[in-house]
């Protein structure tokens, strides 16, 4: 199905986020990126995919109703999905953070059937990438790379004015580019991926190590000597308070992200590199070493012109991005 430009202008789209903890859905004005109505319910992922898909469809229909709209006002639904998809078949293939991992689950056609609306799927970080590109930190340029640093490290690319999908939509997994081919084992099965060095858990582990080794650091006081309370935010707080060990942890994480970003510079020549996700709330603590590393390590392109900046749209980036994706991709 092709959605004409005129219809796209008139209609709103639904952006939906299938999270491990929450299902979120909103009506998005794809002409300006405004989120008009947002609702969130627990995913209850343990109840497995059939139940979760029905809850998602109900949530979407409720959002339309609560906004005082009808289905005919809605051009379609985009769903951001945390994992590997078959975009052609509209199936989930592997969702590592959801019970049962959702192999070959026909998410697109199920939601389309339950709501009667055209539905499109997109990986959750590619959704964020699309949102940041259209209405956030990537606005106005045609080639960007996004790193989303959280529990894992997700990524996405826009190249020459198009969201880059690659083989089956798998392109852009920047967290699984390799820092050291002999490095620690990654959740993906490879060794030494960026994610094993600079994700939230990797940063927390460096803090835990410092405390358990008895080093003198504010991290110990802030966590009250309870290793389980150490988070990237707690380490950032210690660093902001001047703690050298905490600063060094962010210095290391930023260095590794910088190495991955340098490789991306060589590969696609981005005008901007956007750093988002919960860990990026550390701000300059993380951005400064990323920028420094990229400047030092890239010599084959005009690296001074590459802007390395924080994301702008926060938690709504994915919902905005996937709604825009639905608007521009049609029923796919
Ligand atoms: Zn990996």
């Amino acid at each position: 199905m092709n959605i004409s430009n005129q219809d796209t202008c008139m209609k709103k789209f639904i952006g939906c986020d299938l999270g491990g903890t929450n299902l979120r859905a909103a009506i998005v004005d794809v002409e300006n990126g405004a989120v008009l109505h947002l609702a969130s319910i627990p995913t209850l992922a343990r109840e497995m995919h059939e139940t979760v898909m029905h809850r998602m469809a109900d949530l979407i229909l409720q959002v339309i109703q609560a906004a005082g709209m009808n289905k005919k006002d809605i051009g379609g639904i985009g769903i951001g999905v945390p994992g590997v998809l078959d975009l052609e078949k509209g199936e989930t293939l592997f969702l590592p953070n959801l019970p049962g991992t959702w192999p070959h689950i026909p998410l697109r056609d199920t939601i389309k059937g339950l709501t009667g609306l055209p539905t499109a799927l997109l990986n959750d970080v590619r959704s964020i990438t699309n949102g940041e590109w259209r209405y956030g930190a990537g606005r106005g340029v045609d080639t960007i790379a996004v790193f989303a640093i959280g529990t894992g490290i997700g990524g996405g690319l826009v190249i020459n004015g198009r969201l880059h999908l690659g083989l089956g939509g798998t392109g852009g997994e920047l967290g699984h580019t390799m820092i050291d081919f002999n490095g620690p084992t990654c959740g993906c099965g490879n060794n030494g991926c960026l994610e094993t060095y600079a994700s939230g858990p990797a940063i927390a582990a460096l803090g835990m190590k410092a405390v358990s080794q008895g080093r003198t650091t504010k991290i110990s006081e802030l966590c009250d000597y309870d290793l389980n309370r150490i988070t990237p935010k707690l380490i950032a707080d210690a660093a902001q308070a001047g703690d050298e060990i905490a600063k060094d942890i962010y210095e290391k994480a930023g260095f590794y992200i910088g190495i991955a970003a340098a490789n991306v510079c060589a590969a696609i020549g981005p005008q901007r590199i956007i750093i988002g996700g919960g860990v990026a709330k550390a701000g300059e603590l993380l951005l400064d070493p990323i920028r420094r590393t990229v400047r030092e390590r890239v010599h084959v392109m005009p690296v001074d012109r590459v802007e390395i900046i924080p994301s702008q749209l926060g938690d709504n980036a994915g919902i905005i991005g996937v709604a825009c994706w639905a608007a521009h991709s049609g029923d796919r």
Side-chain angles (χ1 to χ4, degrees):
M1 170 185 159
N2 278 318
I3 295 166
S4 74
N5 279 338
Q6 198 181 3
D7 284 347
T8 305
C9 289
M10 288 166 60
K11 288 185 175 175
K12 309 290 188 261
F13 285 75
I14 301 278
C16 185
D17 178 40
L18 168 57
T21 310
N22 290 309
L23 290 176
R24 299 161 73 234
I27 293 169
V28 177
D29 185 336
V30 298
E31 293 296 299
N32 59 17
V35 175
L36 302 178
H37 199 92
L38 175 72
S40 175
I41 56 172
T43 306
L44 305 181
R46 280 196 191 81
E47 294 179 4
M48 306 305 282
H49 57 266
E50 276 298 333
T51 311
V52 171
M53 290 193 291
H54 276 86
R55 288 165 58 72
M56 177 184 282
D58 288 346
L59 177 69
I60 290 166
L61 294 173
Q62 281 165 21
V63 164
I64 296 170
Q65 197 179 28
M69 299 175 94
N70 292 308
K71 275 198 233 175
K72 63 176 171 41
D73 303 319
I74 304 295
I77 298 166
I79 305 171
V81 184
V84 185
L85 301 168
D86 182 329
L87 290 182
E88 279 182 19
K89 291 184 181 161
E91 293 179 351
T92 60
L93 294 180
F94 179 62
L95 311 188
N97 300 321
L98 272 77
T101 71
W102 294 47
H104 295 287
I105 305 302
L107 175 61
R108 179 189 65 195
D109 290 350
T110 302
I111 297 300
K112 185 181 169 189
L114 291 170
T115 62
L117 289 166
T119 302
L121 308 182
L122 190 64
N123 168 275
D124 58 349
V125 185
R126 252 69 86 196
S127 300
I128 290 170
T129 302
N130 199 40
E132 289 290 346
W133 175 46
R134 292 186 178 278
Y135 293 114
R139 216 169 174 170
V141 296
D142 70 10
T143 300
I144 66 169
V146 173
F147 288 86
I149 324 273
T151 309
I153 297 184
L157 302 170
V158 171
I159 301 174
N160 296 339
R162 285 192 70 170
L163 181 69
H164 177 71
L165 296 177
L167 184 61
T170 52
E173 286 293 344
L174 304 181
H176 300 281
T177 53
M178 280 177 279
I179 299 298
D180 176 356
F181 52 76
N182 288 321
T185 306
C186 180
C188 76
N190 190 17
N191 289 83
C193 296
L194 174 63
E195 184 168 296
T196 68
Y197 290 96
S199 64
I203 289 170
L206 291 174
M208 291 174 194
K209 191 175 165 193
V211 171
S212 59
Q213 285 175 341
R215 298 179 69 188
T216 306
T217 163
K218 284 200 170 66
I219 299 169
S220 309
E221 298 154 38
L222 290 176
C223 75
D224 206 11
Y225 297 88
D226 179 354
L227 295 183
N228 294 319
R229 290 170 67 176
I230 298 176
T231 60
K233 180 175 185 314
L234 184 143
I235 298 169
D237 290 343
Q240 306 283 13
D243 185 77
E244 290 300 325
I245 287 173
K247 278 195 226 171
D248 190 51
I249 288 171
Y250 272 96
E251 189 69 30
K252 281 199 177 77
F255 169 74
Y256 291 126
I257 298 166
I259 292 294
N263 288 333
V264 171
C265 284
I268 68 162
Q271 288 134 316
R272 279 188 205 142
I273 295 174
I274 295 162
I275 311 293
V279 173
K281 289 181 179 150
E284 293 303 310
L285 282 173
L286 190 66
L287 284 169
D288 186 55
I290 296 173
R291 289 188 185 116
R292 216 177 323 115
T293 306
V294 170
R295 301 279 182 266
E296 285 169 9
R297 295 298 187 120
V298 178
H299 301 283
V300 293
M301 51 91 72
V303 70
D304 288 344
R305 288 164 53 194
V306 181
E307 298 172 82
I308 300 175
I309 60 173
S311 59
Q312 286 179 1
L313 297 181
D315 290 343
N316 287 341
I319 279 176
I320 296 167
V322 82
C324 292
W325 170 252
H328 292 94
S329 69
D331 189 9
R332 154 167 112 172

